[in-house]
């Protein structure tokens, strides 16, 4: 089973709202990732969690706040977003941060900021 | 400067034609993955190549890793409309550290017309 699940599938939020994106995997993977993807462009890395600790933050604005409650779950808390933050947000996981780096992606959350 | 150059960026062909997508870099990768992504969905892992000169086949898709592990190609034989999608190569660089990241190519948007 190589499934990564994400909820919600779609999210529309105003610039003053607070919302959260959720990601879950039950493959025993120890690295989890958040990516942002604009249409027809490659994913852009936002955060990496390695063994439930934040190991990479790609200079993401503080209006995006990641959280890793346990080894299976990854959240992305959103607050005071801008319209340019509208994108597909992808979660991914890999078995071991130091292995062959095969990453398995979830279906994504399509976020629209109005 | 893009670390992984992917070409062509767009490709529109007729059903039954063959095509090749290229992924090139001046850097050496420890492994390279190919993904296919359909609109509104997350990237799906197609293959991982690890050894220089390695060739892997997945039905009508043939993947090759360059001898020097700096480049890769994806060849599709007798393309079908179901092959339509965004093809992404992603490489893992040799490095030390606890959490490494993939470097994505710019993507190839393939359209196969019936």
């Amino acid at each position: 089973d190589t499934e990564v699940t994400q909820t919600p599938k779609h999210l529309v939020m105003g610039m003053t709202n607070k919302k959260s994106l959720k990601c879950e995997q039950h493959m025993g993977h120890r690295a989890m990732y958040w990516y942002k993807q604009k249409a027809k462009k490659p994913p852009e890395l936002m955060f990496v969690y390695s063994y439930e600790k934040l190991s990479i933050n790609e200079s993401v604005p503080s209006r995006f706040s990641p959280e890793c409650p346990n080894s299976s779950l990854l959240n992305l808390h959103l607050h005071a977003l801008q319209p340019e933050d509208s994108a597909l947000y992808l979660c991914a996981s890999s078995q071991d941060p130091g292995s062959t780096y095969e990453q398995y992606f979830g279906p994504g959350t399509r976020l629209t900021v109005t | 400067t893009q670390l992984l150059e992917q070409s062509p960026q767009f490709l529109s062909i007729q059903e039954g034609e063959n095509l090749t997508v290229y992924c090139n870099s001046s850097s050496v990768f420890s492994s390279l993955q190919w993904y296919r992504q359909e609109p509104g969905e997350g990237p799906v892992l197609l293959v991982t190549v690890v050894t220089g000169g390695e060739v892997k086949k997945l039905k009508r898709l043939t993947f090759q890793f360059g001898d020097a592990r700096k480049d890769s190609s994806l060849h599709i034989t007798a393309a079908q409309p179901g092959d339509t999608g965004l093809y992404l190569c992603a490489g893992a660089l040799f490095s030390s550290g606890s959490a490494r990241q993939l470097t994505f190519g710019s993507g190839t948007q393939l359209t196969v017309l019936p």
Side-chain angles (χ1 to χ4, degrees), chain B residues 57-114:
Chain B
K57 294 194 174 189
L58 184 66
K59 296 183 181 178
R60 294 175 292 99
L61 278 62
T62 302
F63 304 86
Q64 186 161 6
F65 202 14
D67 291 340
R69 294 154 93 169
K70 294 182 179 181
D71 55 87
S72 182
S73 64
L74 157 61
H75 182 78
I76 301 179
T77 303
Q80 299 177 1
D83 295 326
T84 293
L86 179 67
Y87 287 80
L88 295 159
C89 62
L93 293 169
F94 282 104
S95 67
S96 60
S98 62
R100 291 172 248 188
Q101 47 187 299
L102 291 179
T103 297
F104 281 88
S106 52
T108 295
Q109 181 62 51
L110 171 66
T111 303
V112 182
L113 303 168

Side-chain angles (χ1 to χ4, degrees), chain B residues 17-90:
Chain B
E17 292 183 358
N18 301 332
L19 67 113
T20 302
V21 178
Y22 300 93
C23 193
N24 296 296
S25 176
S26 57
S27 300
V28 178
F29 293 98
S30 60
S31 69
L32 193 137
Q33 284 82 44
W34 284 93
Y35 294 85
R36 179 172 65 216
Q37 185 176 22
E38 298 189 18
E41 299 293 330
V44 174
L45 180 65
L46 297 174
V47 79
T48 297
V49 286
V50 179
T51 306
E54 184 175 5
V55 176
K56 284 192 173 179
K57 294 194 174 189
L58 184 66
K59 296 183 181 178
R60 294 175 292 99
L61 278 62
T62 302
F63 304 86
Q64 186 161 6
F65 202 14
D67 291 340
R69 294 154 93 169
K70 294 182 179 181
D71 55 87
S72 182
S73 64
L74 157 61
H75 182 78
I76 301 179
T77 303
Q80 299 177 1
D83 295 326
T84 293
L86 179 67
Y87 287 80
L88 295 159
C89 62

Side-chain angles (χ1 to χ4, degrees), chain A residues 6 9 11 22 43-45 49 55-56 67 75 82 84 88 90 96:
Chain A
Q6 288 187 246
K9 179 75 170 169
L11 179 62
K22 297 184 185 302
E44 299 172 25
L45 184 66
Y49 273 83
S55 61
I56 294 177
E67 178 195 20
N75 297 323
Q82 303 297 311
E84 59 264 29
L88 183 68
L90 295 164
D96 183 325

Side-chain angles (χ1 to χ4, degrees), chain A residues 33-36 44-48 54 56-66 76-79 81 85 89:
Chain A
Y33 311 78
W34 279 116
Y35 289 88
K36 173 184 177 180
E44 299 172 25
L45 184 66
M46 299 174 73
F47 302 104
V48 180
L54 182 65
I56 294 177
N57 176 341
E58 290 288 343
S59 302
V60 179
S62 60
R63 57 185 184 269
F64 295 91
S65 175
L76 185 62
H77 303 297
L78 314 173
H79 173 56
L81 295 193
D85 296 321
Y89 286 84

